[in-house]
Amino acid sequence: MSSEDHPSPKILVDADACPVAIKDIVYRTAKRREIEAIVVANQPIGVPDSPWVRGVVVSSGADQADHAIVKMVNDGDIVIADDIPLAARVVQKGGLVVGSRGDRYDEKTIHSRLATRDLMEQLRSAGVETEGPKPLKPKDVQAFANQLDRVLTRRLKNSPGEA
């Protein structure tokens, strides 16, 4: 099978809320593996001078970066995001999502994550205090790096739907 049958995946980053440590790993990974990384934000974000990394600035407004990412994602692409509704839309298009703590969202896991998110939102709307996300720790960054490496290794070996 030729590479045209299964083009290399690209990495799309929901950059507005993405921790710097996670973006740095994506930049290094794109360069090392020679894979395109597209950093999407609603304000200019500095990206390294690299043929493998480019920034895309979308208009400001709710979910504009999400809409742009969904529009750009293809079957087999990897999206870096912690936004569960965005993850669901990406998975529906055949992409896979890796969260900043190394969580993997795919067709097997996204529905339960979406249900949990919706339940927590209902609780907050009803006045129940819930905890926000904990600060990112070095072990979270390492879990992300490991998951991204595993996902890319599988995607590069197999067809897009098999990772």
Side-chain angles (χ1 to χ4, degrees):
M1 230 176 259
S2 74
S3 63
E4 284 122 33
D5 294 332
H6 296 294
S8 288
K10 64 181 171 288
I11 302 170
L12 295 133
V13 180
D14 182 10
D16 289 323
C18 185
V20 171
I22 300 305
K23 286 186 279 202
D24 287 344
I25 289 169
V26 170
Y27 301 152
R28 288 193 309 267
T29 300
K31 181 181 177 185
R32 181 173 41 89
R33 293 202 178 231
E34 299 183 346
I35 293 174
E36 181 181 22
I38 304 169
V39 182
V40 183
N42 61 18
Q43 59 188 351
I45 290 186
V47 296
D49 184 19
S50 167
W52 303 106
V53 180
R54 70 181 165 104
V56 173
V57 178
V58 298
S59 59
S60 59
D63 300 325
Q64 292 302 311
D66 296 0
H67 297 320
I69 289 169
V70 171
K71 196 177 218 179
M72 286 188 268
V73 75
N74 294 312
D75 187 33
D77 288 343
I78 299 161
V79 173
I80 310 305
D82 289 315
D83 181 319
I84 301 300
L86 170 60
R89 293 172 64 196
V90 167
V91 168
Q92 190 173 29
K93 282 194 72 179
L96 182 124
V97 180
V98 177
S100 61
R101 296 171 193 277
D103 298 319
R104 176 182 160 158
Y105 306 120
D106 57 20
E107 56 283 333
K108 295 174 187 165
T109 61
I110 192 60
H111 300 293
S112 64
R113 295 303 296 255
L114 199 51
T116 301
R117 179 221 175 250
D118 291 345
L119 174 63
M120 295 305 286
E121 198 160 279
Q122 287 175 351
L123 289 172
R124 284 189 293 274
S125 294
V128 175
E129 288 188 35
T130 60
E131 292 182 12
K134 293 179 177 24
L136 195 68
K137 295 182 178 175
K139 70 177 182 128
D140 298 320
V141 175
Q142 186 61 53
F144 170 82
N146 292 342
Q147 183 70 269
L148 181 60
D149 188 60
R150 278 192 300 273
V151 165
L152 276 171
T153 299
R154 285 189 207 119
R155 287 277 156 119
L156 293 171
K157 280 185 185 175
N158 304 317
S159 65
E162 296 176 15

